[in-house]
Amino acid sequence: MGSKNKLKRFKENETFANVVQPTREEVLEGFKLKNKWVSFFKNDNPIVLELGCGKGEYTVGLAQRNPDKNYIGVDIKGARFWRGAKSALEQKLDNVAFLRTQIELIDHLFGENEVDEIWITFPDPQIKYKRTKHRMTNPVFLERYKKILKPKGIVNLKTDSEFMHGYTLGLLQGLGHEILYANHDVYKNEGSPSEVLEIQTFYENQYLDAGKPITYIRFRIN
């Protein structure tokens, strides 16, 4: 994507009512919507996050299927989620928002028990050992998610990385978290929820074209 196109998208994001772009200082000094996302959506429906939402395909796809839930795509790359934000506005989906921020600040952006469910879709597996701290299912990130999730809140991990799938399964078992469902090839093995099979991201289609199996885990953090 050219720099001119990026700048155009950044400018357009600023005009979108469904895009929230706080500065790091605003987040750390007391984010105005923390514990108050009800006021943004103007209802008290369950809140579902897509972390590292990319182009926002899952955020929009889930929102289309579940009008009684509010969906927030979270990513630091605004030029990417511009597409999802624009699509949501064009489709008049009032249960969709996009939040431009770093995932590691997530517990500064949402209050205790404010989130019902989290989706992590095709994150960078950060395979090198020295990158462990950046894996989105490492113990530190799980603790951040636990802070904002309701007691029975759900986390979904969908990835093309067998490494990430195996790492997360082993970690969850080792820490005593509750694995509700796991599938190492969702399109070959039966049993995956419909939203796992029916919503496909831009990158997922590339992985499928390359013959890579898509994996999925659904779990609770104890």
Side-chain angles (χ1 to χ4, degrees):
M1 186 191 302
S3 57
K4 279 187 178 178
N5 205 8
K6 272 190 178 179
L7 288 172
K8 183 183 176 186
R9 291 184 174 190
F10 287 143
K11 283 287 185 188
E12 207 167 345
N13 278 346
E14 291 174 9
T15 70
F16 290 166
N18 62 357
V19 171
V20 181
Q21 303 186 92
T23 64
R24 188 177 178 88
E25 290 72 28
E26 286 171 338
V27 172
L28 294 176
E29 291 170 9
F31 181 53
K32 63 182 181 180
L33 285 174
K34 183 177 180 179
N35 283 314
K36 296 176 182 173
W37 282 94
V38 165
S39 66
F40 180 88
F41 288 106
K42 298 179 174 57
N43 63 58
D44 59 358
N45 290 342
I47 290 176
V48 182
L49 308 183
E50 184 192 2
L51 302 182
C53 68
K55 295 174 183 288
E57 296 105 324
Y58 248 89
T59 302
V60 173
L62 289 168
Q64 290 169 332
R65 285 164 171 72
N66 304 295
D68 56 342
K69 294 181 181 180
N70 297 319
Y71 291 88
I72 304 173
V74 183
D75 207 301
I76 195 62
K77 296 184 176 176
R80 280 193 188 165
F81 70 58
W82 165 88
R83 179 64 268 169
K86 192 173 179 71
S87 294
L89 290 172
E90 288 170 349
Q91 295 174 43
K92 294 182 170 55
L93 295 172
D94 56 8
N95 62 331
V96 176
F98 287 89
L99 176 60
R100 185 170 184 253
T101 191
Q102 294 166 303
I103 307 295
E104 56 264 33
L105 300 177
I106 200 71
D107 52 332
H108 292 275
L109 294 145
F110 297 90
E112 188 177 343
N113 300 335
E114 195 170 14
V115 175
D116 286 73
E117 190 169 0
I118 290 173
W119 281 83
I120 304 169
T121 51
F122 302 97
D124 187 331
Q126 308 286 0
I127 291 174
K128 291 182 179 177
Y129 179 75
K130 66 181 180 181
R131 301 290 296 174
T132 302
K133 67 179 181 180
H134 297 290
R135 289 178 200 152
M136 286 179 62
T137 55
N138 74 29
V140 174
F141 273 103
L142 293 182
E143 280 302 310
R144 289 180 180 133
Y145 305 154
K146 184 178 179 179
K147 282 184 185 178
I148 64 173
L149 279 166
K150 291 184 176 172
K152 292 289 185 182
I154 300 290
V155 183
N156 305 273
L157 171 67
K158 186 178 182 183
T159 175
D160 66 302
S161 170
E162 292 180 44
F163 167 82
M164 187 71 167
H165 182 76
Y167 165 81
T168 304
L169 273 180
L171 189 72
L172 295 173
Q173 289 168 341
L175 294 175
H177 298 310
E178 186 180 358
I179 299 168
L180 302 171
Y181 180 81
N183 190 330
H184 69 273
D185 193 338
V186 298
Y187 295 106
K188 283 191 178 177
N189 303 322
E190 294 181 0
S192 288
S194 59
E195 61 262 33
V196 173
L197 302 173
E198 293 170 7
I199 304 173
Q200 294 180 353
T201 71
F202 171 81
Y203 294 107
E204 180 175 357
N205 283 313
Q206 291 186 332
Y207 304 142
L208 289 171
D209 287 344
K212 296 183 78 173
I214 305 301
T215 71
Y216 171 69
I217 308 171
R218 184 176 177 88
F219 62 94
R220 285 197 184 102
I221 304 167
N222 292 330

